């Protein structure tokens, strides 16, 4: 009987420790940065995987934007564990609504599954702006909500990148595309843009395969494509990480002449674009993508309208090593 | 390649000698190669074989460690994350001007620390290795993002030393190292006292303890070895792709477990063969490359991969039954 107390203490210790740990960790990333909560609107930025370089850049850009004028609005940044963690993102949206934010700017993990949660947010009077991955229009209209999309035109960007490659090819040349995750909207758009450019030239697209946005996987696919189609002239990769994987494959196969293009303009490819080993990539200004969304959200909060019917397009710039060719 | 040596003993005991014969697996491998050769005219070529040989070292060395861990009745889910953490640590060091040798030592050091953590917590405190390594799967991945700032580092030719093809042969140094390690690990497992202790621990740890042998030291050694091999895999991948990617090796633990279990190693411990794991890795690698060469769609690739893993395992079980019946 007398050892009941220590045992009870021990029983409580673990949960207590967990609570303390979580509490200790929480404010660093998901905590709000801002001023007096009374007047300034509160904007929640709900991201996909904060493990991904692209989304980290996006979030950092938003934080920097908020820090420039801290009086203007309060920013709460949240992200999910990985890019496909739907359930977590839905509960993030619900939490944000529950804490009474004025606006949610969201990069949806899924273009359909997030719509019901966002409808509830709208019904609670929260302004919702969609960035990065466009919500499915049919689902939006069947749920009866309007959510403006602010984002880059991936298809036009990919077309521009493809055009740089096209200038180096002739009609009838054989090329292949290494795409992203096939269910992702931006992967589909980039593939379409690449296809537009290649079809316009009359090049033959011998194969389109997914590299899963990932270096090692793209490397396996690129190696296989090179052995299967020894006469391949070029590989169009839907992001730069996959272009790096393809570059390693080309070197391994002794195909230094293989032409490569990518997308995203990550730091790692800067020197390769400079040297022409990667012909072109596209910069969609990741650091500004969330900021554009936040700007629209603030406008909508200020005007009291809640939503806009017009989408807003953000710039995508072509990046090449050589400043002269095919810029227009 | 190294396949199809006739019935080779690998477990010590007589029954084990029969059940580990790699005939069934070699047959599955040959069937796969034959199938892909029929479906694609370019598959059965030196180029393809060389490509596969240069792609498998990371998975191969991880599978060696995993075989040992499964034999002692444990599991190591952290290998993919440890691969990424050690590769990004080495990548950042090289980016900062460190020599490849220093970077390699750093990577292996990171691996040993991770392994010591896994080993001491699971063996010393008796926490199931499933939980401990699951924790490290998360933590090491997070650390990899922290170390690299979530950015891919491009290292260029300075990283070639870890994996660049040896002149003439076209085979990378990492492939040769992996092959040597397979042989060494198999010999240690079957021909040394240490190896017998491991099998005994996996079969009946209590009996080992009663026999006056402390099972803790060998178990910790196995966890450290597994993590160090994961770090080595990280260096191989770093060299092969010439860049360090914090997303590298996601899901690698499952590929490794699949390869090892295809090879007949028991998830319950006490039974396993490094040579057979090696065949399991080859089956997975041939499948990856073959499916990419015939250009199957992404969903079909996954369906086929899953089916082949199961069929290969079934084939081995059936062959084992048939072989043991007459003596039965």
């Amino acid at each position: 009987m007398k050892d009941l107390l220590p045992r009870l203490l021990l029983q409580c210790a673990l949960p207590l420790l967990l609570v303390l740990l979580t509490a200790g960790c929480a404010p660093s990333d998901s905590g709000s940065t801002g001023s007096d909560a009374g007047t300034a609107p509160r904007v929640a930025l709900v991201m996909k995987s904060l493990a991904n370089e692209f989304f980290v850049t996006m979030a950092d850009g938003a934080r920097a934007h908020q820090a420039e004028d801290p009086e203007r609005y309060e920013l709460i940044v949240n992200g999910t564990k990985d890019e496909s963690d739907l359930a977590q993102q839905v509960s993030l949206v619900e939490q944000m609504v529950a804490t009474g934010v004025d606006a949610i700017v969201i990069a949806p993990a899924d273009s359909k599954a997030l719509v019901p949660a966002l409808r509830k947010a709208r019904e609670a009077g929260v302004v919702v702006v969609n960035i990065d991955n466009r919500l499915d229009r049919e689902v939006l209209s069947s749920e009866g909500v309007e959510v403006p999309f602010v984002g880059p035109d991936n298809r036009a960007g990919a077309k521009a990148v493809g055009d740089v490659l096209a200038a180096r090819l002739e009609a009838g040349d054989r090329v292949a595309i290494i795409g992203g995750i096939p269910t992702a909207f931006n992967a589909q758009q980039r593939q379409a843009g690449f296809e537009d450019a290649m079809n316009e030239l009359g090049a033959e697209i011998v194969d389109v395969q997914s590299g899963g946005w990932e270096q090692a996987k793209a490397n396996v696919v690129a190696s296989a494509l090179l052995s299967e189609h020894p006469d391949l002239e070029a590989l169009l990769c839907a992001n730069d990480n996959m272009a790096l994987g393809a570059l390693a494959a080309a070197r391994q196969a002794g195909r230094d002449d293989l032409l490569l293009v990518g997308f995203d303009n990550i730091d790692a490819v800067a020197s390769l674009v400079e040297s022409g080993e990667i012909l072109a990539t596209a910069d969609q200004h990741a650091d500004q993508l969330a900021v554009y969304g936040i700007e629209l959200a603030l406008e909508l909060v200020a005007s009291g309208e809640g939503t806009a019917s017009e989408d807003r397009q953000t710039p995508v710039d072509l990046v090449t090593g050589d400043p002269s060719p095919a810029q227009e | 390649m190294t396949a199809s040596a006739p019935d080779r003993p690998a477990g010590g005991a007589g029954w084990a000698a029969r059940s580990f014969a790699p005939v069934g697996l070699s047959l599955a491998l040959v069937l796969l190669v034959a199938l892909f050769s029929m479906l694609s005219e370019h598959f059965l070529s030196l180029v393809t074989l060389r490509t596969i040989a240069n792609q498998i070292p990371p998975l191969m060395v991880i599978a060696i460690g995993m075989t040992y861990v499964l034999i002692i009745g444990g599991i190591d889910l952290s290998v993919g994350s440890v691969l990424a953490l050690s590769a990004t640590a080495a990548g950042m060091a090289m980016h900062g001007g460190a020599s490849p040798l220093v970077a390699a030592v750093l990577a292996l050091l990171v691996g040993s620390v991770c392994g010591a953590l896994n080993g001491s917590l699971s063996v010393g405190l008796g926490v199931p290795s499933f939980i401990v390594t699951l924790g490290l799967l998360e933590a090491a991945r997070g650390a990899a993002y922290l170390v690299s700032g979530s950015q891919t580092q491009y290292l260029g030719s300075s990283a070639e030393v870890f994996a660049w093809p040896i002149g003439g042969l076209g085979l990378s140094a990492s492939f040769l190292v992996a092959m040597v390690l397979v042989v060494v690990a198999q010999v240690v497992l079957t021909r040394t006292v240490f190896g017998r202790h491991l099998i005994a621990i996996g079969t009946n740890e209590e009996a080992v303890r009663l026999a006056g042998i402390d099972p803790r030291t060998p178990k910790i050694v196995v966890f450290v070895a597994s993590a160090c091999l994961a770090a080595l895999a990280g260096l191989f991948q770093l060299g092969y792709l010439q860049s360090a990617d914090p997303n590298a090796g996601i899901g690698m633990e499952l590929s490794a477990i699949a390869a090892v279990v295809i090879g007949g190693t028991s998830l319950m411990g006490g039974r396993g063969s490094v040579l057979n794991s090696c065949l399991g890795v080859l089956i997975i690698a041939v499948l990856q490359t073959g499916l990419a060469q015939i250009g199957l769609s992404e969903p079909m690739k996954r369906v086929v991969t899953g089916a082949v893993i199961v069929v290969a395992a079934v084939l081995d079980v059936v062959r084992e039954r048939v072989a043991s019946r007459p003596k039965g």
Side-chain angles (χ1 to χ4, degrees):
Chain A
M1 252 307 147
K2 65 179 169 190
D3 57 6
L4 186 69
L5 189 67
R7 221 191 291 166
L8 235 156
L9 278 176
L10 207 67
Q11 294 267 329
C12 298
L14 188 67
L16 203 72
L17 194 73
L18 283 176
V19 169
L20 284 176
L21 263 175
T22 345
C25 293
S28 60
D29 210 36
S30 61
S32 53
T33 41
S35 56
D36 51 320
T39 49
R42 301 175 69 206
V43 178
L45 180 60
V46 179
M47 309 287 282
K48 284 193 276 187
S49 169
L50 283 180
N52 181 326
E53 172 173 357
F54 184 68
F55 294 107
V56 172
T57 312
M58 227 193 248
D60 288 347
R63 288 199 188 94
H65 179 257
Q66 194 273 341
E68 267 173 30
D69 189 2
E71 303 296 312
R72 200 168 149 222
Y73 68 100
E74 199 182 331
L75 180 68
I76 306 161
V77 180
N78 273 295
T80 61
K81 200 178 89 179
D82 54 54
E83 278 189 48
S84 47
D85 197 343
L86 269 178
Q88 199 195 348
Q89 206 181 31
V90 169
S91 63
L92 276 176
V93 169
E94 285 165 357
Q95 274 170 37
M96 288 301 111
V97 173
T99 57
V101 295
D102 297 292
I104 292 176
V105 177
I106 183 166
D110 185 281
S111 55
K112 293 178 181 159
L114 258 298
V115 175
L118 295 173
R119 175 176 55 78
K120 282 180 215 147
R122 286 290 303 126
E123 283 164 5
V126 178
V127 167
V128 178
V129 173
N130 172 204
I131 57 170
D132 179 54
N133 178 18
R134 184 201 286 270
L135 292 165
D136 190 274
R137 287 177 194 187
E138 275 178 40
V139 180
L140 276 177
S141 66
S142 75
E143 287 272 323
V145 273
E146 259 185 354
V147 174
F149 176 73
V150 178
D153 188 339
N154 276 285
R155 184 167 184 164
K159 167 79 164 59
V161 168
D163 284 340
V164 176
L165 175 65
R168 298 279 295 269
L169 296 172
E170 289 167 14
D173 277 350
R174 289 153 69 83
V175 302
I177 297 173
I178 300 183
I181 291 171
T183 46
F185 177 73
N186 55 355
Q188 293 158 5
Q189 289 295 299
R190 289 177 195 181
Q191 184 183 328
F194 284 155
E195 282 168 352
D196 290 345
M198 291 300 103
N199 291 337
E200 200 175 285
L201 170 75
E204 186 191 347
I205 301 171
V206 294
D207 208 345
V208 180
Q209 287 197 43
S210 168
W213 296 133
E214 202 193 305
Q215 227 178 75
K217 202 169 168 214
N219 178 269
V220 172
V221 170
S223 297
L225 285 171
L226 288 174
S227 352
E228 185 63 19
H229 308 284
D231 53 350
L232 213 58
E233 297 284 344
L235 278 173
L236 299 96
C237 307
N239 79 1
D240 286 341
N241 257 320
M242 297 196 290
L244 283 172
L247 179 67
R251 285 182 181 164
Q252 220 97 41
R255 287 292 312 273
D256 291 334
D257 59 318
L258 188 80
L259 301 173
L260 284 171
V261 294
F263 204 102
D264 280 347
N265 195 30
I266 63 173
D267 288 345
V269 300
S271 64
L272 295 166
V273 172
E274 188 79 18
S275 69
E277 282 167 280
I278 291 175
L279 216 50
T281 183
D283 192 338
Q284 45 181 340
H285 305 284
D287 59 330
Q288 292 303 309
L289 284 183
V291 172
Y292 293 127
I294 290 168
E295 287 288 356
L296 178 60
L298 290 174
E299 280 173 38
L300 293 175
V301 170
S303 70
E305 275 179 40
T307 188
S309 50
E310 289 282 296
D311 288 347
R312 208 175 265 191
Q313 214 133 80
T314 62
V316 181
D317 293 334
L318 186 64
V319 180
T320 59
D322 185 3
S324 55
Q327 204 74 337
E328 34 263 305
Chain B
M1 299 209 154
T2 58
S4 80
D7 289 22
R8 191 182 300 224
W15 62 269
R18 276 202 312 277
S19 61
F20 292 134
V23 175
L25 290 174
S26 308
L27 192 72
L29 189 59
V30 170
L31 279 177
L32 265 184
V33 171
L35 184 71
F36 284 127
S37 307
M38 269 157 50
L39 291 174
S40 155
E41 52 175 320
H42 295 284
F43 183 80
L44 199 63
S45 69
L46 204 60
V47 178
T48 305
L49 293 182
R50 212 158 48 196
T51 307
I52 293 176
N54 290 335
Q55 277 166 355
I56 54 172
L59 187 59
M60 189 73 89
V61 293
I62 284 181
I64 296 173
M66 192 65 79
T67 309
Y68 271 61
V69 173
L70 290 189
I71 283 176
I72 61 163
I75 197 159
D76 189 350
L77 299 175
S78 66
V79 285
S81 299
V82 172
L83 179 154
L85 177 57
S86 32
T88 45
M92 291 307 287
M94 287 179 72
H95 207 71
S99 75
L101 185 68
V102 172
V105 170
L106 178 68
L108 292 174
L109 213 66
V110 168
S112 336
V113 170
C114 291
L117 215 62
N118 278 338
S120 55
L121 289 179
S122 67
V123 179
L125 295 179
V127 185
S129 56
F130 188 97
I131 298 295
V132 174
T133 58
L134 185 65
L136 195 65
L137 175 145
E138 280 295 302
R141 180 67 60 187
Y145 292 129
L146 284 178
V147 165
S148 62
S150 295
Q151 295 203 348
T152 302
Q153 298 293 328
Y154 178 74
L155 301 168
S157 50
S158 57
E160 281 174 4
V161 285
F162 298 123
W164 207 236
I166 290 172
L169 279 172
L171 287 176
S172 67
S174 53
F175 175 74
L176 300 179
V177 171
M179 283 300 133
V180 168
L181 283 175
V182 166
V183 173
V184 169
Q186 177 73 0
V187 169
V188 166
L189 189 61
T190 56
R191 301 286 153 88
T192 66
V193 176
F194 178 71
R196 294 223 182 92
H197 283 174
L198 295 185
I199 291 170
I201 288 169
T203 313
N204 189 341
E205 191 172 338
E206 196 50 39
V208 172
R209 199 171 293 130
L210 291 174
I213 301 158
D214 186 353
R216 285 176 299 187
T217 316
K219 284 178 82 174
I220 291 177
V221 167
V222 165
F223 278 103
V224 172
S226 172
C228 282
L229 287 167
L232 185 64
L235 287 174
F236 287 167
Q237 190 140 324
L238 183 85
Y240 185 61
L241 297 173
Q242 294 177 27
S243 37
D245 173 8
N247 286 309
I250 290 179
M252 197 89 153
E253 62 284 346
L254 295 181
S255 302
I257 292 170
V260 171
V261 173
I262 286 177
T265 295
S266 166
L267 281 169
M268 313 308 290
R271 201 158 67 91
S273 149
V274 176
L275 275 185
N276 285 6
S277 298
C278 173
L279 285 173
V281 169
L282 284 175
I283 287 177
I284 287 180
V286 163
L287 203 60
Q288 261 186 351
T289 298
L291 290 176
Q293 282 208 12
I294 62 175
L296 219 55
S297 74
E298 180 68 15
M300 278 312 290
K301 274 185 199 166
R302 302 184 73 152
V303 171
V304 172
T305 307
V308 168
I309 288 175
V310 173
V311 168
V314 167
L315 213 78
D316 203 50
V317 169
V318 169
R319 194 213 57 81
E320 180 188 327
R321 291 245 174 91
V322 170
S324 60
R325 199 170 294 155
K327 299 192 177 185

